[in-house]
Amino acid sequence: MPKNKKVNEATYQSVKGMHDIIGDDFYLYQGFAERAAEVAIYYGFKPIETPMLEKEELFLRGVGEVTDIAQKEMYTLKTRGGDRLALRPEGTAGVMRSYLEHGMHSLPQPLMFYYFGPFFRHENPQAGRYRQFYQFGLEVLGTKKSVADAMIIMMLKTILEDAGINNLQIDLNSIGDADCRGNFRRELVNYYKKHLRDICADCRERLKDNPLRVLDCKNEKCQPIKAGAPESISYLCSGCKEHFKEVLEYLDTMKVEYRLNPALVRGLDYYTRTVFELSMVTESELGEKSQSLALGGGGRYDYLAKTLGSKKDVPAVGASLGVDRVITAPGYEKFTPRIIKKPKVYFIQLSPEAKMKSFEVIETLRYAKIPIVHAMAKDSLGAQLAQAEKLKVPFAIILGQKEALEGTVIVRNMDSHSQDTVKIAKLGEYLKGLK
Ligand code: AMP
């Protein structure tokens, strides 16, 4: 065994929590992204792609310095010129940065964007949790209107249900705005302070830095305290109350079922008013306990623009779906990307001469827009025909040495097994004439 084997293994091992997406797996992502984009385009959304690297400060300010994402999970780097950059841990801050940078407030409002791409968080990898993961996101910028919140929630539901994902649960809450959140936060801190001995150490820290996060705590010890905690909706000012009521009314009208969840705050600083999460209720392997798989979430972020230095507020709402989880969720219906066509022809080549000639055949078929499939790596006729049978392709084209020399191919009907010899130059026309 070579001495440096260990070194080599480590070198060709991908980074923990990050993985290659190869062949048909890639098409799973691409197929879903296409279908989700189709829904977004129906609703008038336009695509946006922001860079994967942004200034670290964008996320520190936008997402909030005392959040898990900013404190523990960001991949940051210092360039040779001394700039501090971060791999984007989420999509909203970049989209808002782009809106502000390009002065989009002077365009007719609201602006509606969709995006798909990789995001990076240094979390502990486990099933369904990666360090490079993929999100499909929607953002509506430049409107306070509650209908935008409801539309985003409904669109996420539509996208997921179209993809065969049922048993969806939509959790909803309003965490208020600058007028009323202070009161709620004070009451929450007062309440938790009375129970300091009964809560976990993390929650004691959260109380100091980011008190709303105590409601996110999953620690068993904190659950009874959490159950008796004050609820943000009891502290909403009249503006927030009205806004939330309208969101609920729109959802009721659109027959979108939801569950009011007072413990839902979501971890990021930029949220105001509406926050929501979509999850799928699945059965455990033993079919006993139901488990909840978080597929997406979002909310309103009316103050993000000012936090990033804008003079004007840009009220906005958005959401993202975790694509890695969606495409592996039970019931997910695989969408084939548009570039993949159902093959009409299985192309078989049988000799070195034929292999050279095969490019001419492939070009002829491509020009005639006839979708094909082939196995360049397989050599035996039997193996290739068996593959064609398996794929239920209606025709096979066989190119052997003799045909290669004559500039012809054999076209075989896979059903009747009848065969014709056809000139390569005439192949497109011939195949188009077949049913
Ligand atoms: P968030 O931006 O945290 O609200 O995440 C939105 C959705 O992205 C979640 O509901 C998950 O489905 C997905 N997601 C978040 N973090 C990860 C991760 N580390 N790995 C895979 N999916 C993730």
Side-chain angles (χ1 to χ4, degrees):
M1 191 179 287
K3 236 175 150 187
N4 60 353
K5 181 162 190 293
K6 224 171 166 182
V7 175
N8 276 343
E9 272 183 0
T11 315
Y12 57 69
Q13 180 98 48
S14 65
V15 173
K16 188 174 168 192
M18 305 198 179
H19 59 278
D20 305 313
I21 304 175
I22 302 168
D24 289 343
D25 283 347
F26 183 90
Y27 292 145
L28 275 177
Y29 285 81
Q30 194 181 12
F32 177 75
E34 265 182 18
R35 285 295 285 254
E38 200 172 279
V39 174
I41 291 166
Y42 259 104
Y43 281 84
F45 285 63
K46 296 267 190 251
I48 189 167
E49 185 148 328
T50 60
M52 276 172 234
L53 276 173
E54 296 270 9
K55 289 181 184 151
E56 182 183 9
E57 197 192 346
L58 175 72
F59 302 112
L60 291 180
R61 284 194 183 209
V63 172
E65 286 190 46
V66 283
T67 56
D68 280 356
I69 288 191
Q71 279 181 335
K72 301 185 211 147
E73 296 170 3
M74 249 190 336
Y75 283 90
T76 55
L77 62 99
K78 198 163 155 200
T79 65
R80 283 166 208 248
D83 294 331
R84 292 200 57 90
L85 305 180
L87 275 169
R88 58 183 191 184
E90 55 88 59
T92 303
V95 173
M96 182 58 92
R97 195 251 328 119
S98 176
Y99 176 101
L100 297 174
E101 182 175 340
H102 300 289
M104 292 190 212
H105 60 270
S106 59
L107 301 172
Q109 306 291 303
L111 281 109
M112 309 204 285
F113 292 114
Y114 72 88
Y115 57 80
F116 167 70
F119 294 86
F120 305 85
R121 293 183 197 167
H122 194 269
E123 295 186 89
N124 264 341
Q126 47 178 269
R129 178 172 297 161
Y130 311 104
R131 289 179 172 177
Q132 176 173 335
F133 58 99
Y134 289 77
Q135 286 190 336
F136 180 87
L138 299 166
E139 312 285 350
V140 179
L141 302 104
T143 181
K144 276 188 187 146
K145 295 208 170 110
S146 50
V147 68
D149 309 41
M151 177 180 74
I152 294 267
I153 297 170
M154 193 201 64
M155 286 173 72
L156 292 193
K157 178 176 185 271
T158 302
I159 291 171
L160 291 174
E161 287 185 348
D162 265 10
I165 296 182
N166 295 305
N167 304 334
L168 275 180
Q169 183 169 291
I170 302 178
D171 281 34
L172 204 57
N173 194 17
S174 173
I175 53 170
D177 64 6
D179 280 343
C180 53
R181 200 178 330 165
N183 290 338
F184 168 58
R185 192 183 287 136
R186 224 175 356 261
E187 285 305 313
L188 187 70
V189 172
N190 285 344
Y191 167 82
Y192 265 79
K193 275 193 173 156
K194 286 187 210 139
H195 298 93
L196 277 181
R197 269 199 232 133
D198 306 317
I199 58 175
C200 70
D202 282 347
C203 275
R204 281 200 287 274
E205 279 305 304
R206 288 178 186 128
L207 275 186
K208 286 188 221 145
D209 307 328
N210 193 351
L212 261 51
R213 290 295 312 274
V214 295
L215 297 173
D216 271 343
C217 185
K218 303 274 180 298
N219 193 316
E220 280 296 319
K221 189 175 172 187
C222 299
Q223 300 314 305
I225 310 300
K226 200 167 113 178
E231 299 184 352
S232 58
I233 45 173
S234 313
Y235 294 84
L236 297 183
C237 59
S238 59
C240 287
K241 209 181 274 173
E242 185 58 25
H243 192 274
F244 195 46
K245 203 175 120 230
E246 286 170 10
V247 174
L248 302 185
E249 279 167 5
Y250 281 121
L251 292 176
D252 290 339
T253 312
M254 293 185 289
K255 306 218 164 9
V256 175
E257 285 178 24
Y258 50 82
R259 182 176 82 163
L260 294 179
N261 180 350
L264 182 66
V265 288
R266 297 189 45 85
L268 315 184
D269 271 7
Y270 56 55
Y271 287 117
T272 41
R273 295 191 163 174
T274 323
V275 287
F276 51 87
E277 257 170 25
L278 279 84
S279 47
M280 183 185 187
V281 183
T282 56
E283 293 211 329
S284 73
E285 273 177 23
L286 299 170
E288 301 158 341
K289 252 181 24 200
S290 63
Q291 294 173 332
S292 181
L293 175 70
L295 294 180
R300 181 161 273 288
Y301 48 95
D302 291 349
Y303 305 137
L304 175 61
K306 273 205 176 150
T307 318
L308 299 182
S310 164
K311 293 209 172 65
K312 279 172 67 176
D313 267 331
V314 181
V317 56
S320 64
L321 288 172
V323 179
D324 312 82
R325 294 193 189 170
V326 173
I327 61 174
T328 48
Y332 175 68
E333 188 187 311
K334 293 179 185 167
F335 293 125
T336 310
R338 289 233 167 79
I339 52 162
I340 305 302
K341 308 278 188 290
K342 194 170 181 329
K344 184 170 178 184
V345 167
Y346 194 100
F347 177 41
I348 297 169
Q349 30 66 35
L350 294 169
S351 70
E353 284 79 5
K355 278 196 177 124
M356 295 303 291
K357 200 80 181 163
S358 66
F359 300 119
E360 197 183 322
V361 176
I362 291 171
E363 266 309 285
T364 307
L365 294 171
R366 193 179 67 80
Y367 196 72
K369 296 199 164 53
I370 295 168
I372 61 166
V373 58
H374 49 78
M376 284 287 203
K378 285 205 169 77
D379 272 333
S380 98
L381 176 65
Q384 294 183 69
L385 277 174
Q387 180 85 12
E389 297 264 4
K390 204 170 129 202
L391 294 175
K392 300 198 170 53
V393 180
F395 299 99
I397 289 181
I398 303 162
L399 179 65
Q401 190 161 6
K402 178 167 168 282
E403 289 78 25
L405 291 172
E406 290 173 355
T408 60
V409 292
I410 296 169
V411 178
R412 178 183 170 95
N413 182 317
M414 294 300 290
D415 254 351
S416 66
H417 295 179
S418 67
Q419 300 193 161
D420 265 338
T421 300
V422 182
K423 284 250 173 249
I424 294 176
K426 296 264 162 75
L427 187 58
E429 224 175 287
Y430 176 87
L431 286 168
K432 278 185 178 168
L434 297 175
K435 274 205 198 137

